[in-house]
Amino acid sequence: MTRKKISAGKIIIALLALLWLVIAGAPFYFMVISAFKEQFEILTTGVFSIPKGFYMDNFAGVIKSQFYKYLLNSTFVVIVSLVLILVTALCAAYPFSRFKFKLNKPLFGLVVAAMAVPIHVTLIPIFQLTQKIHLYDTIYALIGPYTAFNLPISVFILTSFMAEIPKELEESAEIDGCGKYRTFFHIIAPLSKAGLATLAIYNAVNMWNEFSFALVLTQSAKSRTLPLSIWDFQGQYNSNVPMIMAVLTFCALPMIAAFAIGQDKLIKGMMAGAVKG
């Protein structure tokens, strides 16, 4: 009887997983196959039908456009912002998780409260600030907001992650003559790699797809990022759906590659600290 229940449970889980795969994969499948169709082929054939021929002019048109500028801008902004986020979160999470001082809980409460600040409330002040410091319409204008808005949740997650690292490791290091700095760089930081990898992928996806700040703080093509390239292409090729799908495919590829490369570290980071003892 128990085996039958287990078998039935596994079948239900497998069916649910298959259903979720279909729901999540259908839009991606539509995007990719549509990118290989001609402009009016998508209107004369089924939505999910295979293209009559692999029409590569859509991708060629995207490459010949200013798409590469958007790609370089997004890559630069994401990498710089990500380094700042991870370094700052690592340095902030260490004292929050390992030290006891009077302002620990109030300061950590401010970090948690900062997670609730909506982006749209700050658009006008940040716009005015970037104009005053002469960063408006530059890719550098995006680095500050991206770092600031992704930092609180990064500190919160990394603090919880570091709190699960056994204190005995630090005590052993102190007995061997390690100070706080050496303990941080040689023990805590290396053991936090899984958490940092999780934050890196999570924040990179958010910044890669961010639209509001990129729209408000940049104006010319030389400073805009990939989400705005989709917006520009949609306005330019409004009736050419396959061309827009080609742009979307190009935009999605870097994040898909990041997930494929770092999926094992992402899973380890998400599962780390889930079980105590």
Side-chain angles (χ1 to χ4, degrees), residues 59-80:
F59 294 98
V62 174
I63 294 173
K64 290 177 182 178
S65 67
Q66 294 183 340
F67 178 81
Y68 72 95
K69 292 183 180 179
Y70 296 109
L71 178 62
L72 291 176
N73 289 341
S74 282
T75 303
F76 176 80
V77 170
V78 169
I79 290 176
V80 174

Side-chain angles (χ1 to χ4, degrees), residues 87-110:
V87 172
T88 307
L90 189 64
C91 294
Y94 180 51
F96 279 137
S97 62
R98 317 302 288 187
F99 300 160
K100 293 182 179 179
F101 54 96
K102 291 183 178 179
L103 294 178
N104 188 313
K105 290 185 178 180
L107 289 176
F108 190 69
L110 288 176

Side-chain angles (χ1 to χ4, degrees), residues 7 22 79 87 92 132 142 189 198-199 227 236 247:
S7 300
V22 172
I79 290 176
V87 172
K132 288 181 179 179
L142 301 175
T198 303
L199 289 177
Q236 187 177 358
V247 177

Side-chain angles (χ1 to χ4, degrees), residues 100-164:
K100 293 182 179 179
F101 54 96
K102 291 183 178 179
L103 294 178
N104 188 313
K105 290 185 178 180
L107 289 176
F108 190 69
L110 288 176
V111 172
V112 175
M115 294 167 54
V117 177
I119 290 177
H120 301 89
V121 175
T122 65
L123 286 176
I124 294 176
I126 291 176
F127 172 75
Q128 293 174 339
L129 178 62
T130 54
Q131 284 190 321
K132 288 181 179 179
I133 60 179
H134 305 291
L135 286 179
Y136 177 70
D137 198 23
T138 66
I139 55 176
Y140 303 103
L142 301 175
I143 294 174
Y146 283 7
T147 303
F149 276 93
N150 289 284
L151 190 57
I153 191 171
S154 300
V155 173
F156 176 76
I157 293 173
L158 204 56
T159 299
S160 302
F161 184 89
M162 283 188 182
E164 300 300 326

